């Protein structure tokens, strides 16, 4: 019947149309026994950054490798005769054995974490036995397309560096059947999205099984339904990456589609994804640990608010487990070992859901307890996402409340975050808000061009020293070679893009000669988000045209980036750029390359002389693309935002002046575009073309050398992961061990303490401060040195003096009475009380500067399990002062909650 219908359709329509597969699968030829190690090498994603393993696969079929750069696909498509030939080749077998042995040593041998970090720990510190790292996306390689941009690339580089350093880390994410989209352009330059289906059997994944049965994680859904997810495991060097996949037969169509696309769908779709990531991810970790023998994580890292539900799932485990902790005690345990990293510098970047939607998925029973999280009251969970809008549940706020330690992703972003989230810690100055900063880094072996890596001889830390000793002519030769290779890639990709847009080969002959291997080449590639200002360079199109087409000092510009499928504004920006590049007088100097991904990025970062970045400051949390360019000797031309704000030193690039004080955004764009053009015309371009007698731009090469030797090591992901380990993972692990000691006695004590605070904090008051003093000299050795004794009268309610910290704040004051840069001195309790029974706290201070001074005092909670004075968001200032009349009087037990 099927054949007859097909025949009929052919006769009726006259055309045979290709039939698209509903699903794809891969049939593999069994490898000869002598080549069995190829399978293990292909499934461990260390090959992504290990050049010898890539060269081994390339030697099997150079043409196929050039087209795919995918070991598994190569193994599936190579003829069996070729495998038989290789199995009989002693030289290939020796290389294969050497690669397999090298991978084994890499996995098994102690590395920095074991050799250095643990060895140097003090007696009071406890190393994390396991770290669970949760992220919505992971950019490991283009062959595993489950990433969209910066967050995913950062997460992928985090795993790679953690593997290189030997951290006992487990990654947790989602497996998207369609991943993020592939981008092409219409004839008129409009972005078109395509969603090819990911076939897990053709990817470097293995299914997590218990015996012969797949492990299935289950999550209760409203209406008596169950969301089920199987777990795929990607091996990233030493690191297992668990990816949950809801596309399993027992799920109905809606639930099967939960993991269909990254950042697709509406809020209802997104919240189901985040429930699966956070709650299902913890359950997947438990199953993986049970089956693999991997150590249980003692630290959980939420990479953005998407993973926030992991905290409430961990609370549920402790409440329903053998220890049967109460909510407050369980929360204390979870907070001690949770880390929250925020990546957004603007409120609009935070995931915020309607509270009613969260209540719906929490699915309360008749007692008000959640069916999603049995044992937890829905109101207690919903309160964790409180924000100023009473109808909204804020995922970042939940992350901060359930993470004792938190950070931004650059020093500037840390400052921005402390101001942005200051309302969660009322009564504290922004600089006291307990949000730190770990500046992002990028994984050198992934992003550094092989020509630079070869100089280091395989020593990841030896590249800087090798470059430092190179003659200028050799540095320039390498840079010129990389630029020429990029030009070849630009020509190839521009032709391919033109064909996709509907142009014929005859119309695309010009692409064979575009770009000049010797011309100054500038790169700009990133998401087409409005604040990144893709079109700032076109603010004055005639001036940009003159810069590009200067016959004596030509400039060429390669651009890439994707707009979110729902962002028509971003698509319009891309179209504006594409139409500019389509001008026949310009198209050999400026191109837009569609489908920006890891593969394209490597070529652009390696070949560009200058990396352009012009966001609206301070809206770039970090921005790591310029780091990847710097690793390859590219000089940055950037607004002082994100990482560049702290690492620009005048010798590694140019800072575009920012017009932050200008309220009119159009005028601000005009001013900053003018600054960009001026820097290009007056500094960047002349320096590039100022050549010595032998054709080397000596001053330019000096800046390249400085960038590679000084900046290169600072932007490494290995530096970033070391920072996370020493500043966050280690302290969190130590805190977790402390709070769980003696059958969770410290956690119970902290929970009881917080209950006392809840009852009596409103009774805590500083009724007044007495002063006495003498002296008039600032000289430390003078007998007449200024000495001021302050005595605070503090009503403590139920609290004992040992359970509070009283501090004096002293410093120079403005005319408005504000203390500038106060010096903080601890005040000690005395044995006496004042006539009203208030405890007296005393401190003696000696100002170090002259001028008008002022002082005040404050009371803070004190408990050995608190990591920061501001952690609980509670503070008292003297009665009647402005500080004590505001939000500091709210009874907050965790930042911003229970007001």
């Amino acid at each position: 019947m099927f054949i007859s219908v097909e025949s009929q359709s052919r006769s009726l329509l006259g055309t045979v149309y290709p039939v698209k597969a509903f699903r794809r699968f891969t049939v593999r030829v069994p490898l000869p026994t002598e080549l069995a190690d190829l399978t293990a090498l292909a499934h461990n994603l260390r090959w992504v950054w290990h050049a010898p393993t890539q060269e081994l696969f390339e030697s099997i079929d150079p043409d196929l490798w050039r087209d795919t750069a995918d070991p598994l696909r190569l193994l599936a498509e190579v003829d069996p005769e070729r495998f038989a030939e290789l199995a009989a080749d002693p030289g290939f077998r020796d290389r294969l054995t050497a690669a397999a042995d090298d991978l084994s040593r890499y996995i098994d041998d102690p590395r920095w974490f074991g050799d250095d970090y643990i060895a140097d720990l003090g007696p009071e510190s406890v190393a994390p036995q396991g770290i669970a790292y949760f992220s919505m996306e992971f950019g490991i390689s283009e062959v595993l397309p489950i990433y969209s941009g910066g967050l995913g690339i950062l997460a992928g580089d985090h795993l790679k560096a953690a593997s290189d350093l030997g951290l006992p880390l487990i990654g947790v994410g989602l497996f998207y059947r369609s991943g993020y989209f592939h981008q092409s352009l219409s004839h008129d330059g409009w972005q078109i999205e395509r969603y090819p289906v990911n076939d897990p059997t053709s990817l470097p994944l293995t299914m997590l099984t218990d015996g012969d049965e797949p492990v299935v994680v289950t999550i209760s859904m409203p209406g008596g339904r169950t969301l089920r997810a199987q777990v795929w495991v990607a091996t990233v060097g030493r690191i297992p990456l668990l990816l949950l996949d809801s596309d399993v037969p027992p799920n109905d169509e809606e639930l099967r589609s939960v993991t269909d696309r990254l950042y697709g769908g509406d809020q209802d779709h997104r919240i189901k994804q985040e429930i699966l990531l956070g709650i299902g991810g913890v359950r997947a970790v438990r199953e993986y640990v049970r089956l693999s023998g991997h150590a249980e994580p003692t630290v959980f890292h939420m990479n953005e608010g998407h993973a926030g539900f992991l905290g409430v799932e961990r609370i549920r485990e402790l409440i329903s487990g053998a220890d049967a902790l109460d909510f407050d005690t369980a929360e204390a345990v979870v907070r001690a070992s949770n880390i929250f990293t925020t990546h957004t510098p603007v409120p609009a970047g935070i995931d915020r859901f309607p509270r009613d939607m969260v209540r719906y998925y929490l699915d309360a029973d008749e007692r008000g307890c959640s069916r999603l999280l049995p044992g937890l009251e829905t109101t207690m969970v919903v309160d964790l996402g409180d924000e100023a809008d009473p109808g909204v549940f804020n995922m970042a706020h939940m992350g901060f409340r359930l993470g004792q330690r938190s950070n931004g992703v650059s020093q500037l972003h840390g400052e921005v975050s402390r101001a942005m989230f200051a309302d969660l810690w009322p009564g504290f100055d922004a600089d006291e808000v307990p949000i730190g900063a770990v500046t992002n880094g990028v994984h050198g072996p992934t992003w550094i061009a092989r020509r630079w890596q070869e100089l280091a001889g395989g020593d990841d830390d030896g590249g800087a020293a090798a470059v430092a000793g190179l003659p200028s002519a050799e540095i320039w030769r390498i840079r010129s070679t990389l630029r020429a290779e990029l030009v070849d890639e630009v020509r190839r990709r521009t032709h391919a893009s033109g064909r996709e847009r509907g142009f014929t080969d005859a119309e695309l002959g010009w692409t064979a000669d575009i770009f000049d291997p010797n011309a100054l080449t500038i790169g700009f590639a990133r998401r087409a988000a409005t604040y990144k200002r893709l079109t700032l360079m076109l603010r004055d199109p005639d001036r940009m045209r003159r810069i590009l087409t200067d016959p004596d000092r030509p400039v060429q510009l390669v651009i890439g980036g994707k707009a979110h499928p729902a962002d028509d504004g971003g698509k319009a920006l891309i179209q504006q750029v594409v139409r500019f590049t389509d001008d026949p007088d310009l198209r050999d100097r400026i191109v837009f390359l569609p489908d920006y991904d890891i593969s394209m990025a490597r070529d652009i970062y390696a070949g560009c002389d200058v990396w352009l970045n012009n966001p609206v400051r301070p809206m770039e949390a970090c921005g790591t693309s310029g780091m990847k360019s710097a690793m390859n000797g590219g000089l940055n031309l950037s607004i002082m935002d994100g990482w560049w704000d702290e690492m620009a030193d005048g010798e590694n690039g140019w800072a575009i002046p920012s017009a932050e004080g200008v309220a009119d955004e159009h005028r601000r764009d005009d001013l900053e575009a003018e600054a960009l053009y001026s820097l290009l015309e007056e500094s960047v371009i002349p320096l590039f073309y100022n050549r010595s007698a032998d054709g080397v731009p000596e001053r330019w090469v000096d800046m390249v050398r400085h960038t590679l030797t000084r900046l290169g090591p600072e932007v490494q992901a290995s530096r970033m992961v070391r920072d996370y380990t020493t500043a966050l993972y280690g302290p969190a692990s130590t805190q977790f061990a402390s709070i769980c000691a003696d059958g969770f006695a410290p956690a119970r004590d902290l929970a009881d303490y917080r209950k006392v605070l809840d009852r009596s904090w409103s009774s805590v008051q500083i009724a007044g401060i007495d002063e006495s003093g003498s002296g008039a000299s600032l000289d430390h050795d003078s007998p007449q040195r200024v000495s001021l004794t302050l005595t605070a009268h503090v009503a403590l309610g139920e609290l004992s003096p040992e359970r509070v910290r009283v501090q004096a704040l002293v410093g120079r004051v403005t005319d408005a009475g504000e203390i500038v840069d106060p010096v903080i001195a601890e005040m000690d309790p005395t044995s006496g009380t004042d006539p009203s029974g208030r405890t007296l706290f005393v401190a003696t201070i000696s100002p170090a500067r002259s001028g008008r001074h002022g002082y005040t005092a404050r009371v803070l909670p004190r408990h050995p399990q608190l990591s920061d004075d501001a952690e609980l968001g509670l503070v008292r200032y003297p009665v009647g002062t402005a500080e004590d009349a505001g939000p500091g009087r709210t009874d907050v037990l965790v930042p911003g909650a229970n007001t």
Side-chain angles (χ1 to χ4, degrees):
M1 177 64 73
F2 177 77
I3 296 176
S4 64
V5 170
E6 182 182 20
S7 301
Q8 185 180 34
S9 68
R10 287 180 177 178
S11 62
L12 289 173
L13 301 177
T15 304
V16 179
Y17 293 99
V19 177
K20 289 195 174 182
F22 175 69
R23 287 282 167 85
R24 289 179 280 183
F25 61 94
T26 301
V27 178
R28 301 189 187 281
V29 176
L31 290 172
T33 303
E34 298 87 344
L35 305 182
D37 284 337
L38 285 173
T39 300
L41 290 172
H43 273 88
N44 191 309
L45 284 160
R46 189 213 182 193
W47 66 260
V48 170
W49 69 93
H50 191 244
T53 305
Q54 294 175 20
E55 291 164 358
L56 179 72
F57 282 109
E58 182 180 17
S59 68
I60 296 174
D61 188 327
D63 291 337
L64 185 56
W65 179 259
R66 184 178 60 252
D67 292 340
T68 66
D70 182 344
L72 283 178
R73 184 172 172 186
L74 183 144
L75 294 181
E77 297 185 12
V78 168
D79 291 335
E81 293 79 6
R82 175 58 175 159
F83 285 131
E85 178 184 330
L86 292 171
D89 181 347
F92 184 85
R93 293 201 309 269
D94 289 345
R95 291 172 61 203
L96 175 57
T97 299
D101 290 346
D102 182 76
L103 178 61
S104 295
R105 287 191 298 271
Y106 173 85
I107 292 172
D108 297 333
D109 290 353
R111 303 183 76 80
W112 171 82
F113 183 79
D115 282 346
D116 298 328
Y117 174 73
I118 291 179
D120 292 340
L121 280 180
E124 303 300 319
S125 300
V126 178
Q129 64 182 31
I131 303 157
Y133 180 88
F134 285 60
S135 183
M136 196 76 165
E137 51 175 306
F138 286 90
I140 309 294
S141 165
E142 60 271 31
V143 306
L144 188 59
I146 56 171
Y147 64 94
S148 72
L151 181 72
I153 300 300
L154 180 279
D157 283 3
H158 195 108
L159 296 196
K160 294 172 187 176
S163 174
D164 291 341
L165 296 171
L167 268 68
L169 189 142
I170 301 173
V172 184
L174 301 180
F175 177 71
Y176 303 100
R177 286 288 173 158
S178 294
Y180 206 54
F181 66 90
H182 285 296
Q183 177 198 49
S184 59
L185 300 172
S186 69
H187 195 279
D188 66 350
W190 191 257
Q191 173 178 293
I192 298 172
E193 299 93 27
R194 293 177 291 110
Y195 289 90
V197 176
N198 288 330
D199 169 22
T201 65
S202 66
L203 298 175
L205 302 172
T206 56
M207 184 174 288
L208 182 63
T209 59
D210 188 353
D212 295 329
E213 295 297 317
V215 168
V216 176
V217 171
T218 61
I219 297 173
S220 174
M221 288 280 109
R225 297 189 301 162
T226 300
L227 171 60
R228 297 172 176 84
Q230 59 193 2
V231 183
W232 298 100
V233 183
T235 304
V236 186
R238 302 163 68 110
I239 307 297
L241 170 59
L242 313 182
L243 300 170
L244 285 83
D245 174 14
S246 69
D247 190 10
V248 294
N251 286 334
D252 60 34
E253 184 176 354
E254 178 198 345
L255 295 181
R256 288 186 76 147
S257 70
V258 168
T259 56
D260 58 353
R261 293 181 181 181
L262 172 61
Y263 303 140
D266 55 15
Q267 281 195 309
D268 184 73
H269 187 259
R270 175 69 72 89
I271 197 172
K272 288 198 290 284
Q273 288 187 333
E274 297 189 8
I275 287 170
L276 179 59
L277 174 63
I279 298 174
V282 172
R283 295 174 186 178
V285 167
R286 302 308 184 200
E287 288 296 296
Y288 179 79
V289 165
R290 177 178 68 85
L291 294 166
S292 69
H294 192 289
E296 285 280 4
T298 53
V299 174
F300 285 73
H301 186 171
M302 298 172 277
N303 191 43
E304 253 307 342
H306 312 124
F309 285 111
L310 76 81
V312 287
E313 167 62 9
R314 293 188 62 209
I315 292 173
R316 182 204 64 78
E317 289 181 325
L318 291 168
I319 287 175
S320 60
D323 296 294
L325 304 183
D326 61 83
F327 182 93
D328 292 333
T329 303
E331 184 188 33
V333 173
V334 169
R335 290 191 72 246
S337 52
N338 271 3
I339 291 162
F340 175 62
T341 297
T342 175
H343 288 262
T344 178
V346 291
I350 298 169
D351 273 349
R352 301 163 73 237
F353 297 109
R355 286 172 71 98
D356 288 344
M357 179 181 287
V358 177
R359 289 192 188 95
Y360 171 75
Y361 280 103
L362 289 173
D363 193 17
D365 61 20
E366 61 282 356
R367 296 174 298 123
C369 289
S370 171
R371 294 184 177 91
L372 174 67
L373 296 159
L376 300 189
E377 295 180 18
T378 59
T379 55
M380 300 180 81
V381 177
V382 171
D383 284 347
L384 290 169
D386 270 350
E387 64 154 71
D389 186 337
V392 170
F393 183 93
N394 189 308
M395 292 295 291
H397 287 196
M398 179 166 67
F400 283 118
R401 289 176 177 130
L402 292 181
Q404 192 173 44
R405 290 165 178 83
S406 58
N407 68 285
V409 290
S410 69
Q411 295 302 315
L412 177 59
H413 181 232
E415 294 178 23
V416 171
S417 298
R418 287 189 286 275
M420 180 171 150
F421 295 106
D423 287 350
L424 290 175
W425 290 271
F428 292 91
D429 291 339
D431 61 0
E432 293 184 297
V433 168
I435 301 175
V438 175
T439 301
N440 285 344
V442 293
H443 186 244
T446 295
W447 300 109
I448 298 175
R450 190 171 297 181
R451 295 179 187 277
W452 293 120
Q453 293 191 46
E454 289 170 352
L455 292 173
D459 179 5
D460 294 344
D461 297 323
V467 171
L470 281 182
S472 295
E474 178 63 10
I475 292 177
W476 182 241
R477 184 191 66 79
I478 295 174
R479 286 291 318 136
S480 298
T481 300
L482 293 173
R483 187 188 317 108
E485 291 172 352
L486 173 60
V487 168
D488 290 341
E489 188 67 10
V490 164
R491 293 170 178 173
R492 184 186 71 81
R493 287 182 179 269
T494 303
H495 182 273
S497 173
R499 292 290 290 149
E500 283 193 331
R501 294 177 65 189
F503 295 100
T504 65
D505 284 336
E507 294 173 292
L508 294 170
W510 57 272
T511 62
D513 298 314
I514 63 170
F515 274 38
D516 179 350
N518 299 308
L520 172 62
T521 304
I522 300 174
F524 183 100
R526 53 189 44 85
R527 285 188 301 117
T530 304
Y531 78 89
K532 292 179 182 286
R533 297 191 295 188
L534 173 65
T535 57
L536 187 72
M537 66 188 78
L538 305 183
R539 197 74 180 170
D540 184 342
D542 291 336
R543 192 168 179 184
M544 191 74 236
R545 180 186 299 267
R546 290 195 300 271
I547 290 171
L548 292 171
T549 59
D550 186 312
D552 300 318
R553 303 186 306 183
V555 175
Q556 51 203 21
L557 184 56
V558 55
I559 306 169
K562 296 178 177 178
H564 187 280
D567 182 9
D568 283 347
K571 293 179 185 179
L573 294 177
I574 290 174
Q575 185 179 49
Q576 181 182 346
V577 170
V578 172
R579 287 177 172 174
F580 187 79
T581 67
D582 281 345
D583 185 332
D585 293 332
L586 294 174
R587 63 191 184 187
D588 61 344
R589 284 285 178 263
I590 180 170
V591 297
F592 181 91
L593 302 181
D595 210 22
Y596 179 56
D597 66 357
I598 290 176
S599 175
M600 182 195 297
R602 279 195 297 264
D603 294 321
I604 298 177
Y605 296 140
C608 285
D609 300 293
V610 173
W611 196 257
L612 176 61
N613 188 31
N614 44 235
V616 177
R617 189 181 193 269
M619 296 180 68
E620 185 85 274
C622 183
T624 58
S625 59
M627 292 179 168
K628 302 177 187 106
S629 178
M631 282 182 162
N632 288 282
L635 305 181
N636 276 264
L637 174 60
S638 177
I639 292 285
M640 295 288 280
D641 201 5
W643 74 277
W644 186 240
D645 182 74
E646 69 195 75
M647 295 190 187
D649 63 9
E651 291 294 314
N652 49 28
W654 297 268
I656 302 172
S658 175
E660 282 182 88
V662 177
D664 183 339
E665 64 181 54
H666 298 291
R667 174 161 168 72
R668 176 173 180 170
D669 286 352
D670 287 339
L671 291 171
E672 295 184 3
E674 168 63 32
L676 168 60
Y677 295 139
S678 296
L679 275 171
L680 284 171
E681 293 166 340
E682 298 169 13
S683 298
V684 181
I685 297 171
L687 196 67
F688 183 85
Y689 285 105
N690 183 13
R691 307 294 171 86
S692 63
D694 57 356
V696 176
E698 295 286 353
R699 181 71 185 99
W700 186 279
V701 171
D702 287 343
M703 293 179 70
V704 170
R705 189 196 313 275
H706 177 83
T707 297
L708 289 169
T709 57
R710 300 289 181 85
L711 182 58
E714 287 301 306
V715 299
Q716 289 273 4
S718 56
R719 185 272 310 153
M720 171 187 72
V721 173
R722 285 188 182 101
D723 288 350
Y724 270 107
T725 302
T726 56
L728 295 169
Y729 295 157
S733 179
T734 300
Q735 193 85 26
F736 181 70
S738 172
I739 208 165
C740 294
D742 300 324
F744 301 101
R748 291 188 173 91
D749 185 65
L750 176 58
D752 290 341
Y753 175 64
R754 288 171 57 180
K755 290 173 184 174
V756 173
L757 289 175
D758 194 20
R759 291 194 306 268
S760 66
W761 189 252
S762 59
S763 301
V764 174
Q765 293 182 345
I766 301 177
I769 307 173
D770 300 330
E771 65 175 89
S772 61
S774 62
S777 172
L778 293 179
D779 187 345
H780 283 270
D781 298 325
S782 171
Q784 297 301 316
R785 186 182 182 196
V786 177
S787 179
L788 184 68
T789 298
L790 301 178
T791 303
H793 298 245
V794 184
L796 294 175
E798 296 182 46
L799 296 168
S800 65
E802 294 76 24
R803 283 296 171 108
V804 296
R805 168 170 282 139
V806 181
Q807 297 175 332
L809 291 76
V810 184
R812 299 179 69 178
V813 292
T814 65
D815 290 340
E818 296 176 351
I819 302 176
V820 179
D821 297 327
V823 173
I824 298 176
E826 298 296 325
M827 303 187 76
D828 299 319
T830 68
S831 57
T833 60
D834 69 7
S836 297
R838 303 183 188 94
T839 304
L840 301 177
F841 287 79
V842 177
T844 299
I845 58 170
S846 296
R849 299 177 62 187
S850 61
R852 298 174 61 199
H853 286 68
Y855 63 81
T856 188
R858 66 182 181 186
V859 185
L860 303 161
R862 183 187 206 128
H863 192 280
Q865 295 300 329
L866 298 179
S867 63
D868 190 275
D869 287 345
E871 181 177 327
L872 298 182
L874 296 175
V875 62
R876 278 286 180 268
Y877 287 93
V879 173
T881 63
E883 291 85 350
D884 205 51
R889 293 191 65 85
T890 57
D891 296 328
V892 184
L893 293 187
V894 291
N898 305 321
T899 56

